[in-house]
Amino acid sequence: MTSLRILIVEDNDDHAALLTDELDIVLPEARVARETSMIAAERRLETERVDLVFLDLGLPESQGIETLDRFLRGRGRPPVIVVTSAGQDDVGLEALKLGAMDFLDKQNIGGGMILRTALFAIERNRVQQELSRKQRMLETVVAAAGHDLKTPLANIEGIMAILTEEVGDRLDDHQRELLDATLSGARDLRSLVDDLLSLARVAATERSLQRTSLSNILARVTAVLPAADRGRVHLLDDAVLRCDPGQLHFVLQNLVVNGLKYWRERPSVVRLSGENTPGAARVTVTDDGIGIPPDLLQEVFLPGVRAVNGSDFSGTGFGLAICREVVEGHGGTIWVKSEPGNGSSFSFTLPA
Ligand code: ADP
């Protein structure tokens, strides 16, 4: 590797000397430059390659965490280690959340500490860049696949519908069955593509957390249900959830629609209850439908796994996998208790 280029952004001469001297000892090959203001540092970054920046948070133009915020807003920034004073761990942690690779207490840079921090920051930055690159690639593939798969499927559905209308009454039973099977196959495939895209989107999008009530989200779910189905859904206890409302809407919709769908002798009833405990919120969605065989209680959360015959109940087997992705992405857990013939009870928790 070519020699490491390090930039120290620090207006205090003594503090800068402390860092430079220590870097000279532990990284003698590195080329260390120093700037005393943000403007000068930014100008240097425009023309020079810099592999690592040590940033002091008290500069002439800005003070505190705002300094880092301003610095990171620039394009193509190298990894940054924030230099803090003794006892400023809270500032350091805030800096990490904002995007700094690490923080270093300037009273505590000896004994190899600075070397460890520098190498760790460079490696962490490399891994992050690699992950972002993979994520961007995945998003591109998902967007392209979504479009290129859905358009021809919609065309097939349209053509089949026209054919059924125009020549349907001239076909014999067998021919009509073939036509119907093709049409429903295309519809199933489109649901599958939709579910796969939802799964990829949930995994890729950032959550925006808000406090909202279980009843609020449920109201959006039931609003689009046929009236008869709406009458089979009951909320027993409300709770406050800290969540991304769009993602939680998806979870509740899946659990409620499943509860309404999986019954045989008589239409099932779905009951929801929420509960707030000091550390978490818990939601349970219970139905009195067909239940799930014990050996499949874990498996139903895996993508594409179904516990029923596809010709008895429509579905793709991806809904619960997406629910798990959402709940675990929020830092919660999801599980099911069920007995065949005696209904199912899905529960999930979300951190408060
Ligand atoms: P889908 O409903 O599209 O098949 P899901 O991922 O939502 O996909 O569910 C996976 C499987 O779990 C279903 O195919 C079904 O066998 C089972 N399942 C889910 N919810 C219930 C329920 N409320 N009652 C009985 N079985 C259920």
Side-chain angles (χ1 to χ4, degrees), residues 95-113:
L96 288 185
K97 280 191 200 145
L98 216 59
M101 288 297 132
D102 209 342
F103 64 97
L104 186 66
D105 174 351
K106 58 184 109 177
Q107 303 337 303
N108 189 21
I109 57 174
M113 193 63 172

Side-chain angles (χ1 to χ4, degrees), residues 250-281:
F250 190 94
V251 172
L252 277 186
Q253 175 171 301
N254 263 278
L255 297 181
V256 168
V257 168
N258 279 350
L260 293 172
K261 175 167 72 170
Y262 291 108
W263 57 270
R264 275 209 182 86
E265 271 99 44
R266 82 198 130 70
S268 51
V269 172
V270 178
R271 295 185 176 84
L272 294 101
S273 57
E275 186 191 358
N276 285 109
T277 56

Side-chain angles (χ1 to χ4, degrees), residues 47-82:
T47 54
E48 261 182 37
R49 190 197 92 213
V50 171
D51 303 305
L52 182 64
V53 173
F54 285 90
L55 179 68
D56 179 57
L57 293 186
L59 290 174
E61 308 98 319
S62 74
Q63 291 290 319
I65 206 78
E66 161 66 17
T67 311
L68 175 69
D69 192 31
R70 181 172 156 193
F71 185 80
L72 291 177
R73 260 183 259 142
R75 272 167 54 85
R77 291 297 188 229
V80 177
I81 295 173
V82 161

